[in-house]
Amino acid sequence: MSGFKYSAHVGYLFTDKPLSERIKAAAHHGFGAVEHPAPYSVEAQEMAQWLKEAGIVYTQFGLHAGDAQRGEKGIAIFPERREEFRRSVGVGLDYAEAIGVSMVHVMAGVLPSARRSRHHWDCYLENLAYAAREAESRGVMILIEAMSAGAVPNYFIETADQAADAAASTGYANVKLLFDVFHTVSTGLDVHEQIRKHASQILHVHIADYPGRHEPGSETLDFDAIRETLTGAGYRGWLGCEYIPAGQTEEGLGWLKV
């Protein structure tokens, strides 16, 4: 897996440590960056100091995504929460600016298919466009990620095709895809075909093996082949390591040195 830059998702890796120590551990073990969808419990200036001390950067995080304890994974599709979403955009962009982040993920939301209507899609596009417009002047990119039903039941965006359609429909060039290898395979799609199909829109990539979502090389996926496909597609960004360690994080990092 050499030749790529790796970002440690510290919501999954080094979780036996406090957040500040996870960042240090990531740097110590060879990661060039970290990411976490919800950094807001830490003041931005304190986070910036942690990053500086560790000599590491922060690749991307999400806007406020609702109440995780209630299973919420975003609020962008809900018309009744439009104002809450818009407030989250300002908060997120201020935080991004303070810690030097250039990519912010807008989570769509969880809603069973039977309860969905055109209003949810229209609201989603309106909110994405609002976020993109606000982010554009700050040089920040907006990310959309598809999430598989097996991992996140009833997530509004399940495939890269749907994510790409949403991005294009906003009319903003700074709306791109966060492409997740695990979610793609979990949905039953060919990961190589999907990478090639959406190459021009992929701005960030998440990796994990399948089916257990553990470290690369531990299960069924050929990450050498995936790396070659990404290279052939012109991808030069980070590989975000959003996997569940099979044991202690440190014990499973051998793949990172290959």
Side-chain angles (χ1 to χ4, degrees), residues 199-249:
S200 65
Q201 291 179 287
I202 295 173
L203 191 64
H204 191 58
V205 172
H206 277 165
I207 60 172
D209 218 326
Y210 178 85
R213 205 174 185 176
H214 299 311
E215 43 269 90
S218 63
E219 300 180 81
T220 65
L221 300 185
D222 184 343
F223 280 93
D224 286 337
I226 291 170
R227 178 195 64 189
E228 290 175 7
T229 300
L230 285 167
T231 299
Y235 185 71
R236 299 293 183 269
W238 295 92
L239 296 185
C241 301
E242 190 186 53
Y243 64 79
I244 303 165
Q248 290 292 104
T249 301

Side-chain angles (χ1 to χ4, degrees), residues 42-258:
V42 178
E43 290 293 329
Q45 293 306 318
E46 185 175 11
M47 178 65 74
Q49 186 61 34
W50 290 354
L51 296 169
K52 182 179 179 181
E53 290 173 356
I56 205 168
V57 299
Y58 205 117
T59 52
Q60 62 88 23
F61 63 84
L63 296 182
H64 283 293
D67 187 346
Q69 292 188 344
R70 293 173 55 191
E72 294 184 336
K73 283 273 190 181
I75 60 174
I77 62 173
F78 300 109
E80 68 275 15
R81 301 179 77 170
R82 188 177 281 106
E83 290 306 314
E84 180 184 352
F85 176 84
R86 292 194 172 198
R87 289 193 299 272
S88 80
V89 172
V91 171
L93 292 176
D94 286 347
Y95 200 102
E97 192 169 49
I99 68 170
V101 166
S102 62
M103 298 182 289
V104 174
H105 179 201
V106 175
M107 291 189 187
V110 170
L111 188 66
S113 298
R115 291 171 52 195
R116 297 177 189 178
S117 73
R118 183 72 196 187
H119 297 300
H120 295 105
W121 178 255
D122 290 345
C123 180
Y124 181 50
L125 296 184
E126 179 186 319
N127 280 334
L128 283 173
Y130 176 84
R133 185 166 59 251
E134 295 296 305
E136 192 174 44
S137 63
R138 305 204 201 192
V140 174
M141 305 295 289
I142 297 299
L143 297 174
I144 302 174
E145 180 183 16
M147 300 185 193
S148 59
V152 186
N154 298 312
Y155 191 71
F156 195 71
I157 300 294
E158 189 175 355
T159 67
D161 282 358
Q162 293 171 323
D165 185 25
S169 296
T170 67
Y172 282 88
N174 64 328
V175 184
K176 299 291 185 181
L177 304 191
L178 193 174
F179 183 87
D180 189 292
V181 169
F182 173 82
H183 286 308
T184 300
V185 176
S186 297
T187 307
L189 297 169
D190 184 293
V191 68
H192 304 281
E193 178 183 303
Q194 291 295 304
I195 290 169
R196 288 189 288 266
K197 182 176 183 179
H198 299 292
S200 65
Q201 291 179 287
I202 295 173
L203 191 64
H204 191 58
V205 172
H206 277 165
I207 60 172
D209 218 326
Y210 178 85
R213 205 174 185 176
H214 299 311
E215 43 269 90
S218 63
E219 300 180 81
T220 65
L221 300 185
D222 184 343
F223 280 93
D224 286 337
I226 291 170
R227 178 195 64 189
E228 290 175 7
T229 300
L230 285 167
T231 299
Y235 185 71
R236 299 293 183 269
W238 295 92
L239 296 185
C241 301
E242 190 186 53
Y243 64 79
I244 303 165
Q248 290 292 104
T249 301
E250 293 85 349
E251 295 170 358
L253 291 177
W255 67 268
L256 193 59
K257 313 302 181 185
V258 176

